[in-house]
Amino acid sequence: MRSRSTRPETAIEPAPAVPETMRAAVFDAPGPADALHLADVAVPSPVLSEVLVRVVAAGINPIDAKTRAGRGLSGAIDSWPAVLGLDVSGVVVRAPFDAHPFPVGTEVYGMAAAPRTPGAYAEYVVVPTLSLARKPAALSHVEAAGVPVAALTAWGLVVETALAHQGQRILVHAGSGGVGHFAVQFAAYFGAHVIATGSSRNLEWLRELGAAEVVDYTSTRFEDVVSPVDVVIDLIGNVADDTGTRSLEVLRPGGLLIEVPTGAWPGFREAASARGIRSTDYKTIPDGAALATIGRLLDSGAVRVFIDRVFDLDDVAAAHTELERGHTRGKIVLHVSDD
Protein backbone atom coordinates (compact mmCIF):
# COMPACT_ATOMS: atom_id res chain seq x y z
CA MET A 1 0.00 0.00 0.00
CA ARG A 2 1.46 3.33 -1.07
CA SER A 3 1.92 5.81 1.76
CA ARG A 4 0.64 9.34 1.29
CA SER A 5 3.13 12.20 1.49
CA THR A 6 2.54 14.72 4.23
CA ARG A 7 4.48 17.41 2.38
CA PRO A 8 2.41 20.25 0.92
CA GLU A 9 1.49 19.82 -2.73
CA THR A 10 1.98 23.50 -3.55
CA ALA A 11 5.41 25.01 -3.96
CA ILE A 12 6.99 26.45 -0.84
CA GLU A 13 7.64 30.18 -1.14
CA PRO A 14 11.32 30.89 -0.54
CA ALA A 15 12.00 32.65 2.74
CA PRO A 16 12.90 36.31 2.16
CA ALA A 17 16.15 37.71 3.45
CA VAL A 18 15.86 38.99 7.01
CA PRO A 19 18.36 41.55 8.33
CA GLU A 20 20.22 41.11 11.59
CA THR A 21 18.96 44.40 13.01
CA MET A 22 15.72 46.36 12.76
CA ARG A 23 14.11 49.66 13.74
CA ALA A 24 12.07 49.47 16.89
CA ALA A 25 10.39 51.83 19.32
CA VAL A 26 12.03 51.15 22.67
CA PHE A 27 12.20 52.55 26.18
CA ASP A 28 15.16 52.23 28.54
CA ALA A 29 13.29 52.54 31.84
CA PRO A 30 9.72 53.21 33.02
CA GLY A 31 8.60 56.73 32.27
CA PRO A 32 6.25 59.09 30.40
CA ALA A 33 5.32 58.81 26.74
CA ASP A 34 8.47 60.58 25.59
CA ALA A 35 10.53 57.77 27.11
CA LEU A 36 9.76 55.94 23.86
CA HIS A 37 12.30 56.45 21.10
CA LEU A 38 13.56 54.69 17.98
CA ALA A 39 16.66 52.48 18.07
CA ASP A 40 18.32 49.74 16.07
CA VAL A 41 17.97 46.40 17.87
CA ALA A 42 18.54 42.77 16.97
CA VAL A 43 15.84 40.98 15.00
CA PRO A 44 14.37 38.36 17.38
CA SER A 45 14.90 34.67 16.59
CA PRO A 46 11.83 32.39 16.69
CA VAL A 47 12.10 29.10 18.58
CA LEU A 48 9.95 25.96 18.58
CA SER A 49 6.51 26.88 17.21
CA GLU A 50 7.07 30.63 17.05
CA VAL A 51 6.63 32.47 13.76
CA LEU A 52 8.67 35.48 12.63
CA VAL A 53 6.39 38.18 11.23
CA ARG A 54 7.38 41.29 9.28
CA VAL A 55 5.25 43.95 10.95
CA VAL A 56 3.14 46.18 8.74
CA ALA A 57 1.06 47.70 11.54
CA ALA A 58 0.85 47.44 15.34
CA GLY A 59 -2.10 48.30 17.55
CA ILE A 60 -1.71 50.42 20.68
CA ASN A 61 -3.55 49.40 23.83
CA PRO A 62 -3.97 50.93 27.30
CA ILE A 63 -1.92 48.07 28.75
CA ASP A 64 1.03 49.27 26.64
CA ALA A 65 0.91 52.71 28.24
CA LYS A 66 0.57 51.23 31.73
CA THR A 67 3.55 48.95 31.11
CA ARG A 68 5.64 51.83 29.78
CA ALA A 69 4.84 53.77 32.94
CA GLY A 70 6.01 50.95 35.19
CA ARG A 71 2.66 49.29 35.86
CA GLY A 72 0.71 46.83 33.74
CA LEU A 73 2.96 44.05 32.48
CA SER A 74 6.21 45.75 33.47
CA GLY A 75 7.08 42.95 35.88
CA ALA A 76 7.73 40.69 32.89
CA ILE A 77 10.50 42.93 31.51
CA ASP A 78 13.82 41.22 32.22
CA SER A 79 16.17 43.30 30.07
CA TRP A 80 16.47 46.80 28.63
CA PRO A 81 15.76 48.38 26.23
CA ALA A 82 12.27 46.90 26.01
CA VAL A 83 9.90 46.81 23.02
CA LEU A 84 6.15 47.07 23.59
CA GLY A 85 3.26 46.00 21.38
CA LEU A 86 0.81 43.10 21.63
CA ASP A 87 -1.29 43.71 18.50
CA VAL A 88 0.34 42.87 15.17
CA SER A 89 -0.65 42.54 11.54
CA GLY A 90 1.94 41.58 8.97
CA VAL A 91 3.48 38.89 6.78
CA VAL A 92 5.15 35.63 7.82
CA VAL A 93 8.86 35.57 6.89
CA ARG A 94 9.91 32.52 8.93
CA ALA A 95 7.73 29.49 9.73
CA PRO A 96 8.73 26.56 11.96
CA PHE A 97 8.29 23.94 9.20
CA ASP A 98 7.22 23.61 5.55
CA ALA A 99 3.68 22.39 6.20
CA HIS A 100 3.02 24.96 8.94
CA PRO A 101 -0.52 26.44 8.85
CA PHE A 102 0.99 29.91 8.31
CA PRO A 103 3.70 29.38 5.70
CA VAL A 104 6.10 32.08 4.52
CA GLY A 105 4.20 34.84 2.73
CA THR A 106 0.95 34.43 4.69
CA GLU A 107 -0.75 37.62 5.86
CA VAL A 108 -1.54 37.17 9.54
CA TYR A 109 -2.73 39.06 12.59
CA GLY A 110 -2.52 38.18 16.25
CA MET A 111 -0.97 38.81 19.65
CA ALA A 112 2.73 38.92 20.45
CA ALA A 113 3.95 37.89 23.90
CA ALA A 114 5.35 41.30 24.84
CA PRO A 115 7.05 42.18 27.07
CA ARG A 116 8.32 38.63 27.78
CA THR A 117 9.59 38.78 24.20
CA PRO A 118 10.11 41.97 22.15
CA GLY A 119 6.79 43.34 20.94
CA ALA A 120 5.26 44.61 17.73
CA TYR A 121 6.49 48.22 17.88
CA ALA A 122 9.23 47.01 15.54
CA GLU A 123 9.89 45.88 11.99
CA TYR A 124 9.86 42.19 13.00
CA VAL A 125 8.26 40.27 15.85
CA VAL A 126 8.05 36.65 16.96
CA VAL A 127 4.54 35.37 17.69
CA PRO A 128 3.41 31.98 19.06
CA THR A 129 1.56 29.95 16.43
CA LEU A 130 -1.49 29.55 18.68
CA SER A 131 -1.79 33.34 18.99
CA LEU A 132 -2.10 33.91 15.23
CA ALA A 133 -4.82 33.76 12.57
CA ARG A 134 -4.95 34.66 8.91
CA LYS A 135 -5.64 38.35 8.39
CA PRO A 136 -9.24 38.99 7.30
CA ALA A 137 -9.17 39.61 3.55
CA ALA A 138 -11.57 42.54 3.86
CA LEU A 139 -9.26 44.44 6.21
CA SER A 140 -6.07 46.37 5.55
CA HIS A 141 -3.12 45.65 7.81
CA VAL A 142 -3.77 48.92 9.66
CA GLU A 143 -7.37 47.89 10.32
CA ALA A 144 -6.37 44.34 11.29
CA ALA A 145 -3.79 45.62 13.77
CA GLY A 146 -6.59 47.28 15.71
CA VAL A 147 -8.41 44.00 16.26
CA PRO A 148 -6.60 41.28 18.28
CA VAL A 149 -6.38 42.48 21.91
CA ALA A 150 -9.60 44.49 21.89
CA ALA A 151 -11.68 41.93 19.99
CA LEU A 152 -10.34 38.91 21.89
CA THR A 153 -11.02 40.69 25.18
CA ALA A 154 -14.55 41.55 24.09
CA TRP A 155 -15.12 38.01 22.80
CA GLY A 156 -14.04 36.55 26.12
CA LEU A 157 -16.25 38.96 28.04
CA VAL A 158 -19.38 38.70 25.92
CA VAL A 159 -19.34 35.22 24.43
CA GLU A 160 -17.33 33.07 26.81
CA THR A 161 -18.11 34.72 30.17
CA ALA A 162 -21.47 36.49 29.83
CA LEU A 163 -22.75 33.79 27.41
CA ALA A 164 -24.64 36.44 25.42
CA HIS A 165 -27.99 35.26 24.10
CA GLN A 166 -31.41 36.38 22.93
CA GLY A 167 -33.38 38.27 25.57
CA GLN A 168 -30.39 38.95 27.82
CA ARG A 169 -29.80 42.54 28.96
CA ILE A 170 -26.15 43.62 28.94
CA LEU A 171 -24.78 47.01 30.02
CA VAL A 172 -21.40 47.94 28.51
CA HIS A 173 -19.52 50.83 30.08
CA ALA A 174 -17.17 52.80 27.77
CA GLY A 175 -18.87 51.30 24.75
CA SER A 176 -17.00 53.47 22.24
CA GLY A 177 -13.48 52.41 23.26
CA GLY A 178 -11.35 49.68 21.77
CA VAL A 179 -12.81 46.79 23.77
CA GLY A 180 -16.17 48.46 24.18
CA HIS A 181 -17.01 48.91 20.51
CA PHE A 182 -16.39 45.20 19.92
CA ALA A 183 -18.33 44.20 23.05
CA VAL A 184 -21.38 46.15 21.87
CA GLN A 185 -21.25 44.49 18.47
CA PHE A 186 -20.71 40.93 19.75
CA ALA A 187 -23.50 41.22 22.32
CA ALA A 188 -25.93 42.56 19.71
CA TYR A 189 -24.86 39.90 17.18
CA PHE A 190 -25.77 37.14 19.64
CA GLY A 191 -29.17 38.67 20.32
CA ALA A 192 -28.69 40.50 23.62
CA HIS A 193 -30.38 43.79 24.41
CA VAL A 194 -27.35 46.09 24.65
CA ILE A 195 -27.15 49.27 26.71
CA ALA A 196 -23.96 51.30 26.26
CA THR A 197 -22.57 54.33 28.05
CA GLY A 198 -20.58 56.93 26.15
CA SER A 199 -20.11 60.64 25.57
CA SER A 200 -22.60 62.68 23.57
CA ARG A 201 -20.48 62.60 20.40
CA ASN A 202 -20.57 58.80 20.34
CA LEU A 203 -24.22 58.08 21.09
CA GLU A 204 -25.45 57.80 17.50
CA TRP A 205 -22.38 55.76 16.55
CA LEU A 206 -23.08 53.33 19.42
CA ARG A 207 -26.60 52.87 18.08
CA GLU A 208 -25.12 52.07 14.67
CA LEU A 209 -22.94 49.41 16.31
CA GLY A 210 -26.03 47.70 17.72
CA ALA A 211 -26.78 49.33 21.09
CA ALA A 212 -30.52 49.33 21.75
CA GLU A 213 -30.12 51.99 24.44
CA VAL A 214 -27.39 54.59 24.96
CA VAL A 215 -26.63 56.75 27.99
CA ASP A 216 -24.63 59.97 27.86
CA TYR A 217 -22.52 59.65 30.99
CA THR A 218 -21.62 63.36 30.86
CA SER A 219 -25.20 64.42 31.53
CA THR A 220 -27.08 61.40 32.92
CA ARG A 221 -26.55 59.03 35.84
CA PHE A 222 -26.97 55.63 34.19
CA GLU A 223 -28.48 54.13 37.36
CA ASP A 224 -31.34 56.66 37.07
CA VAL A 225 -32.42 55.50 33.60
CA VAL A 226 -31.34 51.88 33.17
CA SER A 227 -33.76 49.10 34.13
CA PRO A 228 -32.31 45.98 35.78
CA VAL A 229 -29.78 44.14 33.64
CA ASP A 230 -28.39 40.61 33.65
CA VAL A 231 -24.75 41.53 33.01
CA VAL A 232 -22.54 44.58 33.43
CA ILE A 233 -19.29 44.67 31.47
CA ASP A 234 -17.37 47.31 33.41
CA LEU A 235 -14.45 48.71 31.42
CA ILE A 236 -13.98 51.65 33.81
CA GLY A 237 -14.13 50.57 37.46
CA ASN A 238 -14.14 53.01 40.35
CA VAL A 239 -11.37 55.22 39.00
CA ALA A 240 -14.03 57.43 37.39
CA ASP A 241 -17.08 58.54 39.37
CA ASP A 242 -17.45 55.17 41.18
CA THR A 243 -18.77 53.59 37.99
CA GLY A 244 -18.23 50.09 39.34
CA THR A 245 -20.05 50.59 42.63
CA ARG A 246 -22.94 52.34 40.91
CA SER A 247 -23.25 49.42 38.50
CA LEU A 248 -24.42 47.20 41.36
CA GLU A 249 -27.58 49.30 41.53
CA VAL A 250 -28.71 48.24 38.05
CA LEU A 251 -27.84 44.53 38.26
CA ARG A 252 -30.65 42.11 39.06
CA PRO A 253 -30.15 39.69 41.99
CA GLY A 254 -27.98 36.85 40.73
CA GLY A 255 -26.75 38.98 37.83
CA LEU A 256 -23.12 39.08 36.75
CA LEU A 257 -20.57 41.89 37.11
CA ILE A 258 -17.46 41.50 34.93
CA GLU A 259 -14.76 43.84 36.18
CA VAL A 260 -12.05 44.36 33.56
CA PRO A 261 -9.46 47.05 34.48
CA THR A 262 -6.89 45.60 36.86
CA GLY A 263 -6.83 47.42 40.19
CA ALA A 264 -9.64 49.80 39.26
CA TRP A 265 -11.88 48.49 42.05
CA PRO A 266 -10.07 46.17 44.47
CA GLY A 267 -13.16 45.39 46.56
CA PHE A 268 -15.58 44.52 43.78
CA ARG A 269 -15.99 40.86 44.75
CA GLU A 270 -17.01 41.60 48.32
CA ALA A 271 -19.31 44.46 47.27
CA ALA A 272 -21.06 42.31 44.66
CA SER A 273 -21.42 39.33 46.99
CA ALA A 274 -23.04 41.52 49.63
CA ARG A 275 -25.73 42.43 47.08
CA GLY A 276 -26.33 38.84 45.93
CA ILE A 277 -24.55 39.49 42.63
CA ARG A 278 -22.03 37.21 40.95
CA SER A 279 -18.72 38.74 39.85
CA THR A 280 -15.47 37.98 38.10
CA ASP A 281 -12.45 39.74 36.69
CA TYR A 282 -11.06 38.92 33.24
CA LYS A 283 -7.72 38.66 31.43
CA THR A 284 -7.32 38.43 27.65
CA ILE A 285 -6.55 35.00 26.19
CA PRO A 286 -4.45 35.17 22.97
CA ASP A 287 -6.53 32.51 21.22
CA GLY A 288 -5.82 32.24 17.50
CA ALA A 289 -8.86 30.01 16.92
CA ALA A 290 -11.18 32.62 18.41
CA LEU A 291 -9.39 35.29 16.37
CA ALA A 292 -10.05 33.27 13.21
CA THR A 293 -13.77 33.21 14.08
CA ILE A 294 -13.72 36.95 14.68
CA GLY A 295 -11.98 37.32 11.33
CA ARG A 296 -14.88 35.61 9.58
CA LEU A 297 -17.31 38.03 11.23
CA LEU A 298 -15.16 40.93 10.06
CA ASP A 299 -14.98 39.58 6.52
CA SER A 300 -18.76 39.14 6.42
CA GLY A 301 -19.37 42.69 7.60
CA ALA A 302 -21.30 41.53 10.67
CA VAL A 303 -18.64 43.19 12.85
CA ARG A 304 -16.33 46.08 12.05
CA VAL A 305 -13.29 47.72 13.58
CA PHE A 306 -12.94 51.49 13.90
CA ILE A 307 -9.49 53.07 13.70
CA ASP A 308 -9.46 56.49 15.31
CA ARG A 309 -5.93 57.59 14.36
CA VAL A 310 -2.84 56.18 12.65
CA PHE A 311 0.70 57.23 13.60
CA ASP A 312 4.00 56.31 11.99
CA LEU A 313 6.40 54.29 14.13
CA ASP A 314 8.57 57.43 14.44
CA ASP A 315 5.67 59.15 16.21
CA VAL A 316 5.09 56.45 18.82
CA ALA A 317 5.47 58.92 21.72
CA ALA A 318 2.74 61.11 20.25
CA ALA A 319 0.55 58.03 19.82
CA HIS A 320 0.90 57.16 23.50
CA THR A 321 0.17 60.75 24.47
CA GLU A 322 -3.00 60.66 22.40
CA LEU A 323 -4.07 57.37 23.96
CA GLU A 324 -3.55 58.70 27.48
CA ARG A 325 -5.74 61.73 26.80
CA GLY A 326 -8.67 59.31 26.83
CA HIS A 327 -11.86 59.39 24.79
CA THR A 328 -10.40 57.43 21.85
CA ARG A 329 -13.12 56.09 19.57
CA GLY A 330 -12.08 52.57 18.64
CA LYS A 331 -8.33 52.05 18.27
CA ILE A 332 -5.04 53.86 17.65
CA VAL A 333 -2.60 52.08 15.34
CA LEU A 334 1.08 52.44 14.40
CA HIS A 335 2.03 52.15 10.74
CA VAL A 336 5.38 50.33 10.76
CA SER A 337 6.15 49.38 7.15
CA ASP A 338 4.58 49.17 3.71
CA ASP A 339 2.58 46.11 2.65
Side-chain angles (χ1 to χ4, degrees):
M1 183 175 181
R2 177 180 293 179
S3 62
R4 182 176 179 180
S5 171
T6 59
R7 293 182 62 81
E9 296 178 1
T10 55
I12 302 299
E13 183 172 330
V18 176
E20 293 183 359
T21 62
M22 64 180 181
R23 288 192 319 144
V26 307
F27 65 119
D28 304 306
D34 61 10
L36 294 163
H37 61 94
L38 291 187
D40 288 330
V41 300
V43 172
S45 298
V47 298
L48 299 175
S49 66
E50 291 177 337
V51 174
L52 184 64
V53 176
R54 179 176 63 80
V55 180
V56 177
I60 292 183
N61 293 285
I63 192 64
D64 298 348
K66 291 178 182 177
T67 301
R68 185 215 71 229
R71 304 186 306 277
L73 305 176
S74 60
I77 299 173
D78 59 9
S79 64
W80 301 94
V83 183
L84 296 170
L86 294 166
D87 283 334
V88 61
S89 185
V91 181
V92 174
V93 294
R94 292 286 185 274
F97 51 90
D98 289 348
H100 190 268
F102 308 118
V104 170
T106 306
E107 294 186 318
V108 293
Y109 74 147
M111 280 182 62
R116 290 197 183 279
T117 57
Y121 292 8
E123 293 178 312
Y124 295 89
V125 66
V126 293
V127 186
T129 291
L130 295 180
S131 301
L132 279 175
R134 290 178 180 264
K135 180 184 75 67
L139 269 58
S140 67
H141 282 290
V142 165
E143 292 169 325
V147 174
V149 170
L152 284 171
T153 303
W155 185 265
L157 295 169
V158 172
V159 181
E160 298 173 351
T161 306
L163 306 177
H165 57 270
Q166 189 75 35
Q168 189 181 39
R169 291 173 57 81
I170 298 179
L171 170 61
V172 179
H173 288 307
S176 58
V179 175
H181 88 294
F182 280 116
V184 169
Q185 292 179 84
F186 291 151
Y189 179 83
F190 285 99
H193 179 97
V194 183
I195 306 151
T197 64
S199 63
S200 55
R201 80 180 184 99
N202 289 318
L203 299 185
E204 185 55 39
W205 183 62
L206 287 168
R207 291 188 183 94
E208 293 173 6
L209 293 179
E213 300 178 45
V214 294
V215 179
D216 181 354
Y217 71 85
T218 66
S219 62
T220 305
R221 306 287 284 183
F222 65 84
E223 65 270 31
D224 292 339
V225 296
V226 174
S227 301
V229 299
D230 301 291
V231 180
V232 170
I233 295 175
D234 182 14
L235 300 170
I236 300 174
N238 273 358
V239 296
D241 201 18
D242 291 331
T243 298
T245 299
R246 291 161 51 214
S247 295
L248 298 178
E249 298 181 30
V250 300
L251 273 160
R252 65 167 177 80
L256 176 64
L257 170 71
I258 310 176
E259 190 65 22
V260 182
T262 301
W265 182 15
F268 77 90
R269 292 178 181 85
E270 294 78 9
S273 178
R275 302 281 287 268
I277 292 167
R278 296 173 296 136
S279 65
T280 183
D281 54 357
Y282 185 79
K283 298 292 184 291
T284 309
I285 300 173
D287 183 352
L291 195 57
T293 299
I294 293 167
R296 290 190 287 274
L297 292 175
L298 289 160
D299 271 335
S300 73
V303 172
R304 53 197 173 106
V305 58
F306 185 85
I307 306 302
D308 195 335
R309 292 193 62 180
V310 181
F311 292 82
D312 287 334
L313 183 62
D314 309 50
D315 297 321
V316 61
H320 268 233
T321 298
E322 179 66 21
L323 177 74
E324 291 179 304
R325 288 196 181 105
H327 308 295
T328 298
R329 176 188 281 190
K331 291 297 297 290
I332 295 174
V333 171
L334 290 176
H335 175 260
V336 177
S337 67
D338 295 332
D339 294 9

